[in-house]
Structure formats: structure tokens, C-alpha cells
Amino acid sequence: MQKVFQRIEKVASTSATVLISGESGTGKELAARALHKISPRKDSPFIAINCGAIPESIAEAELFGAKKGAFTGANQDKLGKFAAADGGTLFLDEVAELSPQLQTKLLRFLQEGVITPLGCHEEVSVDVRVIAASHKQLLAQVEEGLFREDLYYRLNVVPIHMPALRERTEDIGKLIHHFKTKFCQQYGSQEQQLSATTLKQLLSYSWPGNVRQLSNCIERYALLGDENELIESLNHNSQSPAQSEQFVIPDEGIDWHQFERDILLQACKRADNNKTAAAKLLGLSYKAFLYRLEKHQI
């Protein structure tokens, strides 16, 4: 984490584009906010947007703005996130979820510093620093044809990787203390000392949901003061998702192409051919799932 802090400090004074990688819950948005807070843009807007949470039908207008009458229901000009962040920083979380059309428009902005609102025929110059983030491996997305290669290199000027909590276990104790104090003050509850047994289990837990999961668990403990429920929640989370290490490659190896095809077919069958549900079963984005279906001609 000290390396992360040092890198943030080095690039904060510039307008270089930053790409933050790391698993969900590792604090990618916090890193982006810290970078903005110590930059010359600190007194200008910091606007965060989750690219995967915007309905595709309104995503272009949401990001780049729209003129009155550009689409049904556009009764007045809409200010997009880029224009709203003018002079400041725009944080694009889950940037891998942008459609190919929006990837092209984002690339245009990064190259030329201009945007074109929906329904407008003139380009508008905006001064915005872009910080992008994704829990996915963007280079793998590029190789699968799901993300533009030229956009990847435009975003990845300065890469920052947020380590998983299991990779920095020495921080767990300090984070427990921080969250316990924070939430007890927030809810006006009395701060209680965790037993040595409970603390040992918290320190040795793998925290698949990273700092966000730890924060959630300690917040619940601050409210209820129940150590048994705290430990039970860890055991429940350990058993819920299927872990990759449960699968053992047979001695004779596997035919990966056929294996992947069979898994896709099983997911489709279990989800009654609902592609969204089938993608969720496999932990894939909808676009990545469709790509694999096309790859295997399913």
C-alpha cells in the first residue's frame, strides 16, 4: 500500500490518465478520490460514475450530454458527466462495461479533449482528467475482442494496482480497529474489545470481498455487538461461492475447448436459456458470455 500511496503522490500533480486495477472491494474509488484531493484540481468537481450501472439506452446522454429533442423525453438540454466535471476529475468505474460506441467516443475525448453531446453537430472542448478502474483484466478483454486495444493504451498511461486484502494481512488488524471506532462513533454505541479467539479468526480469514467486506462485518458488529454472528457470517461466506480450487485437472488433462463449450451449454440449460442468468451463473459479464457463445457457435 505504501507503493500505491507513493505512486498516487507522484502523478497527482499531472493530468495523466490513470487506470486503477484490483478486485472488487479493494478501494479503487478511494484511491481515485485521494489522487484528486492532492491534485491541482482539488477545488474542482470529482465525479464518479459506475459504467456498468448505466442503462445502455441512456449511457451516451449520461456521459456526454444531450441537446433538447435528441431523443424521446429530452425536454431540455442535459449536461453530461464530462461537462459537469470540467476543470476537475471524472472517475469511470467498471470501464470495461462501456459499449463499443461509447469506447470510441471516450477514445476521441482522450485523443482530442473534445466531446459531442447527443443531437449536437459541434464538438465541445472540456478540461477533464480521466481516472478509469476495472476489477477485470482489461488486457484479457482486449485479447477477447471486448475492449478496444487503442483505448486500453490511452487509459493505461499510469497503472495503479490495488492489492487484495489477503495480500496485505498486516493491515487487517489496523482496519478492524479503524472501522470499529468509526462505526461505534457513527451509531453512538459503546466500543467493545473483541475476544482473542474472534480476533484470531478475523486475522486469518481470506476476505474474498476485501476491505468492503471487512467494513460491512465490523459495521454489523458495532450495531449488534454479537461476536457469534460475526464469526458465523465469515463461515457462511466461506462456503457460499464455488471455489476454483475445488476443481482438479485429471491426470490425462482436458480438452479446454470442449470443456468450455459444455459449461456454457450447462449454464444455458440451467437458466432456461436466459442469457443474463446464465452469464451470472458463470460469473461473466453479459458481453463476455455472448462472445463465448459466438465463439463456440452455440
Side-chain angles (χ1 to χ4, degrees):
M1 286 304 295
Q2 291 303 318
K3 290 179 180 177
V4 170
F5 299 148
Q6 288 165 13
R7 180 162 282 212
I8 287 173
E9 288 175 353
K10 281 183 180 179
V11 301
S13 61
T14 73
S15 287
T17 307
V18 175
L19 179 61
I20 305 176
S21 60
E23 296 176 8
S24 293
T26 49
K28 296 186 290 295
E29 183 172 339
L30 285 175
R33 288 183 181 276
L35 202 159
H36 173 78
K37 193 173 181 180
I38 60 172
S39 77
R41 298 172 178 267
K42 63 181 183 296
D43 296 323
S44 297
F46 175 93
I47 294 181
I49 186 163
N50 187 324
C51 300
I54 323 171
E56 196 162 334
S57 58
I58 63 167
E60 185 173 353
E62 198 67 28
L63 284 171
F64 300 100
K67 301 298 285 183
K68 180 180 177 181
F71 56 88
T72 305
N75 300 321
Q76 58 186 12
D77 290 354
K78 178 177 177 59
L79 188 69
K81 300 299 185 186
F82 274 88
D86 194 17
T89 303
L90 181 63
F91 176 58
L92 297 174
D93 197 10
E94 299 304 345
V95 71
E97 302 304 321
L98 287 178
S99 68
Q101 181 185 356
L102 292 181
Q103 288 181 34
T104 302
K105 296 198 75 167
L106 175 57
L107 178 64
R108 172 72 176 158
F109 168 75
L110 294 174
Q111 288 174 330
E112 306 296 337
V114 295
I115 59 170
T116 306
L118 199 61
C120 181
H121 302 293
E122 295 179 0
E123 294 179 332
V124 179
S125 294
V126 286
D127 172 25
V128 173
R129 181 188 200 159
V130 171
I131 302 175
S134 178
H135 76 279
K136 295 179 179 177
Q137 295 291 335
L138 277 190
L139 201 52
Q141 298 286 107
V142 169
E143 290 168 357
E144 291 184 9
L146 300 171
F147 199 79
R148 290 186 64 128
E149 184 176 17
D150 45 6
L151 177 56
Y152 167 75
Y153 288 114
R154 282 282 177 179
L155 290 172
N156 197 38
V157 175
V158 180
I160 293 177
H161 179 70
M162 300 298 292
L165 189 52
R166 63 182 174 276
E167 296 169 2
R168 49 186 184 106
T169 53
E170 65 277 11
D171 291 345
I172 295 174
K174 295 182 180 69
L175 287 167
I176 290 171
H177 176 72
H178 164 73
F179 288 129
K180 194 146 62 76
T181 301
K182 172 187 173 182
F183 290 122
C184 285
Q185 289 177 353
Q186 180 178 327
Y187 295 117
S189 53
Q190 186 176 355
E191 191 169 340
Q192 300 179 40
Q193 199 73 20
L194 288 164
S195 69
T197 304
T198 297
L199 189 58
K200 184 179 178 181
Q201 291 191 59
L202 293 175
L203 293 173
S204 61
Y205 184 62
S206 62
W207 297 106
N210 294 295
V211 181
R212 185 184 293 129
Q213 182 190 4
L214 175 60
S215 171
N216 180 269
C217 286
I218 300 302
E219 181 176 9
R220 187 184 308 135
Y221 173 72
L223 282 165
L224 303 176
D226 189 335
E227 288 193 23
N228 290 329
E229 182 171 331
L230 177 59
I231 297 306
E232 283 174 11
S233 70
L234 299 187
N235 294 333
H236 173 75
N237 284 324
S238 297
Q239 295 166 5
S240 39
Q243 300 296 320
S244 59
E245 53 263 34
Q246 290 176 348
F247 176 77
V248 179
I249 299 176
D251 294 337
E252 66 275 14
I254 61 171
D255 179 339
W256 176 258
H257 184 85
Q258 188 59 47
F259 177 77
E260 187 177 50
R261 179 180 170 83
D262 289 345
I263 290 293
L264 291 167
L265 287 169
Q266 285 183 49
C268 288
K269 185 176 180 180
R270 183 170 294 187
D272 293 325
N273 287 320
N274 182 319
K275 292 184 175 64
T276 302
K280 190 174 181 181
L281 279 174
L282 299 179
L284 295 171
S285 71
Y286 185 68
K287 288 189 291 185
F289 184 70
L290 291 183
Y291 165 80
R292 285 173 171 78
L293 290 182
E294 186 178 343
K295 171 184 167 185
H296 291 281
Q297 299 182 337
I298 294 174

